[in-house]
Amino acid sequence: MSSLKAFLNQNVKVITSDGRLFLGTLEGFDQTTNVVLSNALERAFYPDEPKRDLELGAFIIRGDNVVCLGPYDEDEENNIDYSTVFADKLKSTKNAL
């Protein structure tokens, strides 16, 4: 978890175990990788329609749902033409019992 300290108060993207993508500012985290995002949004991609951003504000993601967390550059993100990006839903990363 100490490696997340470098991302505090930085813009991050989080991919969850159910294939969802969240963007926001990392405000905090704990030893179980629970993360707190401010200015959070969920970005959803679809196979046959443009992406949608759902503004969430302050948002907590449970650590057992975090698959990947990393920084992103806001200027670079704003220059991406998402009107040309389409995608199927990511498959779950959870193993069936």
Side-chain angles (χ1 to χ4, degrees), residues 14-79:
V14 180
I15 297 175
T16 60
S17 59
D18 60 355
R20 295 163 67 189
L21 173 66
F22 296 92
L23 294 86
T25 303
L26 182 63
E27 295 294 335
F29 62 91
D30 65 12
Q31 68 277 8
T32 59
T33 321
N34 294 317
V35 295
V36 178
L37 302 178
S38 63
N39 304 316
L41 63 88
E42 180 180 359
R43 178 158 292 156
F45 294 93
Y46 302 94
D48 54 359
E49 60 184 271
K51 64 100 177 152
R52 285 191 223 153
D53 289 342
L54 174 62
E55 294 186 22
L56 305 170
F59 197 70
I60 297 172
I61 303 172
R62 287 180 47 119
D64 58 350
N65 289 329
V66 174
V67 171
C68 181
L69 184 150
Y72 72 92
D73 182 278
E74 189 171 9
D75 292 332
E76 187 175 310
E77 185 73 21
N78 290 336
N79 287 326

Side-chain angles (χ1 to χ4, degrees), residues 82-96:
Y82 281 109
S83 67
T84 62
V85 178
F86 299 90
D88 291 325
K89 183 177 178 183
L90 291 176
K91 293 180 179 167
S92 176
T93 61
K94 295 185 177 183
N95 294 324

